[in-house]
Amino acid sequence: MPTLFIEQHSQGLAFYINGNLQFDTTDEAIYHEHLVVPAISLAEQRFPNLPLRVLICGGGDGLAARDVLRFNQVREITLVDYDPDVLELGRTVFQPYNQGSLTTADQSPLGSDRVTVYTQEAFEFVSNLPDACYHVVICDFTCPTRPEETQVYSLEWLTEIRRILAPQGVLAKNAVSPQQTPAAFWCLYQTALAAGIHTKPMRVVIPSFHHHDYGDWGFLLGSPTAIAPEELTSLKFPNNLQVLQVATWIDVFRFPATMANDRHLINLHTLDCPQLFYYLLNSHFSDREIDATVKPIESEDWLDFLAIQESGTGLIGTHDPLEFESMIQVWLDHFHPSQSGSTSVPAPASLIPVQHPYHDPRISQEWLGYTKALLSEIDAKQLLSKLVDRAQELPPQLAKDLKQLLEKVRSGQPLTYISEHTAELITILSVSLLVANLAAPDAAFAKGFSGSSYRSGYSSGSSSSGDYYYSDGSFGWLGFWMTMIGGMWLWNLYKNRDD
Amino acid sequence: MLSSESIQLDTLTICELGLDDRARWDQFNQSLPTSCFMQSWAWADFKQIEGYQTFRYGIFQQETLVGGGIFYFYPRPHSANLLIAPGIPCFTPGYEVIGMELLLEQVKQLLPTLSAIALRVEPLFLQKPPFLEKFVRAPVDLLPSETLLIDLCPDEAEILANMKPKGRYNIRLSQRYGVETEFTTELQNIPRFYDLFWETVERQQFFGEPYGFFINLCQTLFAANMAEIGLATWNDQLLAAILVIYWGDRATYLYGGRSSLYPHVMANYGLHWAAMQRAKSKGCQVYDFYGYTQNPRHNYAKFSQFKRQFGGKPVTTIGAHDYFFYDQLTDLLINTLRKLAQP
């Protein structure tokens, strides 16, 4: 179960799950009113005089439920949250802030028989619901900190949400920061569009989130039926809101073009080919290989999604970039640029993406400089022997090359050539060692070391010992680099033996 | 002390430790001269909250605990992983050779499910012992292998006398200014600590762990009475904060931060001196500054200059060492080649 922490301060409290701020009572109204009020108001407008049924997924703190209860037309609220500890806080410590939304009428002023709470996984709960059974679904989940927590952001999840919504029903979804993790934000947007939900992205400034460097925060407002701009400009809000104002709230649909223009390049997040966690950890567009032919965006350009009605790109990735084989493939693509069409120098984030929320691209960059040192740990003779013992499982040419290499190593003949296949194998070995070290969060911090820079890693890999090996000239720069490193590694085998 | 030759393998048993073994394991580990807090039960609990799997083994001769280790594994959906064990080996003297053999055999039984290609250990030894012969030096460490230790055994006057004149002077200066210090396990001080920590991370441009890490760490270690936050205030303004871990005879200054305001009151000096006094009062014999360098071009050079003013003895341990599982590494390479060959 996640860890919970309540920070008391002079103006109220701040609540953290796994160390991530969920809300601060000083400004939580900005978050919850934007998440809840437009969605329910739109539903009221679309279903006049009809008793509304609302499903809240997550939201165990009771704050979203509080704002849903503002609407008299809502007759039934179902809240499903898997964490009983958060729900208990919602009924006790948070009661002064949620006005008792999770309690019954006899327990608090806002307590209501309209709310039914289930302690259950939302995906499982929703899967068992009939079609078109809710007018509004509000997703108020925590921002994922582990890959398994991204399921409730997937295409499969949103397809289920679309199924349980009435055709004119409304989805309101807490997203991620379009400012700090733009690729992740637009991934959620594209995923919602792909699920058949016409979606409007929203961008909101929440001071406590900014204080934690989360940046502007994002929400999605959607419906299986397209949302016309005039529907949103004519919404009527309940009285006594703290933040939302009819006259100004639609500014939330305006995004700087620099934040949104690359949204068409982003893959969907699916259970079969997850992308969201990769985007969250490696989100900035600047980390990708930039196409220099694209016209630079003027900084004053803005996009207004109130008017934009677009269908999704439906781009589904071919692989999960955080999978080991995907990382290997990126390296091999740059190893053989003529075959893959990849001619640019890759960003470090694409060679070794960030794998853990505690890490950042600087760590990956630094680790690239350790490649040679990691290889030098390996007993090449022992590894070659193991591989040759299983030669029948290797590609025939590689098996042949390795046998020859092992014979040379054993007999002490000079190494004058590394085949392309061997260099590829050394590349795979290098990436394996890098990934293994970066997979263990504590190992990645490299305590106590002065740290080599990305640049020094490259220069150390190509600075000396060039007489001992050569490539056949068909590799890209990465192939050349790996051949050099691999050659040095094998040469050291001789050197160490002589020592 | 037993000689390693006199211990028969069949007289020892190794088994996974359960919660009932917690006190015995902690007591055993703290009694070792190279004991490390990362081998404590509470630290392993903290790491579990952080997403690690932990494997806690004890080696027994009859009913007596003579060795063991806590191993950490961060599960990933691929086969390129490390098993790490900072602070091991942990053995009663004489049991190292046979104990290490047993531990490695036990760890190898985990490999089919864990997919680790290597085990990384980091003992607090000053020289590499023969029983780690098959381990090779890792390019990076899990702990700062170079550190600065202050001997807390002498009386306070002598500890002060052993400091550099500037250190003594600055401590007294902080006292003259009236810098106040306190040590606490009150969780509401985590944000106070973290604000200063993060301010320092940004100023010094280090990698810093996020807030959630400290919430988990403090919630776990405070409950085990293993750590405290130290705070230094002047005129009601928080100027310095540190996190100290107590384990065995050692107090370790694990994290810290200071405000850039009012440097002339030397709050940081006053706080570390108070931390040393407190550690001594708790029975600690060593104050570990946890990271130090004598290399002026090292990332640690700047704060090592600060630490040096407290005197002490620089100590360099052998650093992290890796034991490679070549069968697993071969599996990984062959399976990867096979997957890449698939259309």
Side-chain angles (χ1 to χ4, degrees), chain A residues 3-4 6-8 19 146 325 329 355-356 358 377 379 386 390 393 437 441-442 447-450, chain B residues 47 49-50 52 74 76 120 139 188 210-212 216 219 298-300 322 326-327 331 338-340:
Chain A
T3 55
L4 312 180
I6 297 169
E7 185 183 310
Q8 306 282 352
R146 294 174 188 172
E325 288 78 15
Q329 193 62 60
Q355 299 179 63
H356 190 277
Y358 288 6
E377 283 192 275
D379 180 339
K386 295 270 184 195
R390 295 172 62 179
E393 298 175 64
N437 276 275
D442 288 355
K447 291 282 184 194
F449 274 70
S450 59
Chain B
K47 285 290 156 183
I49 294 169
E50 289 278 294
Y52 280 86
Y74 196 81
R76 302 286 309 176
R120 176 165 298 163
Q188 290 304 317
Y211 191 38
N216 290 338
Q219 283 184 333
H298 193 286
N299 280 349
Y300 288 3
D322 290 344
Y326 281 96
D327 286 334
D331 278 346
R338 192 178 291 146
K339 283 181 188 167
L340 291 172

Side-chain angles (χ1 to χ4, degrees), chain A residues 150-207:
Chain A
T150 64
Q151 291 190 359
V152 286
Y153 292 86
S154 65
L155 178 65
E156 291 81 352
W157 163 258
L158 287 164
T159 303
E160 279 295 273
I161 295 299
R162 185 183 189 280
R163 182 184 65 77
I164 64 165
L165 270 176
Q168 286 199 302
V170 182
L171 164 69
K173 186 169 177 60
N174 166 40
V176 295
S177 172
Q179 183 180 24
Q180 298 288 50
T181 54
F185 179 77
W186 296 112
C187 169
L188 296 178
Y189 172 74
Q190 291 291 352
T191 304
L193 292 174
I197 299 171
H198 299 268
T199 304
K200 300 280 184 196
M202 297 162 61
R203 183 179 62 90
V204 175
V205 176
I206 305 172

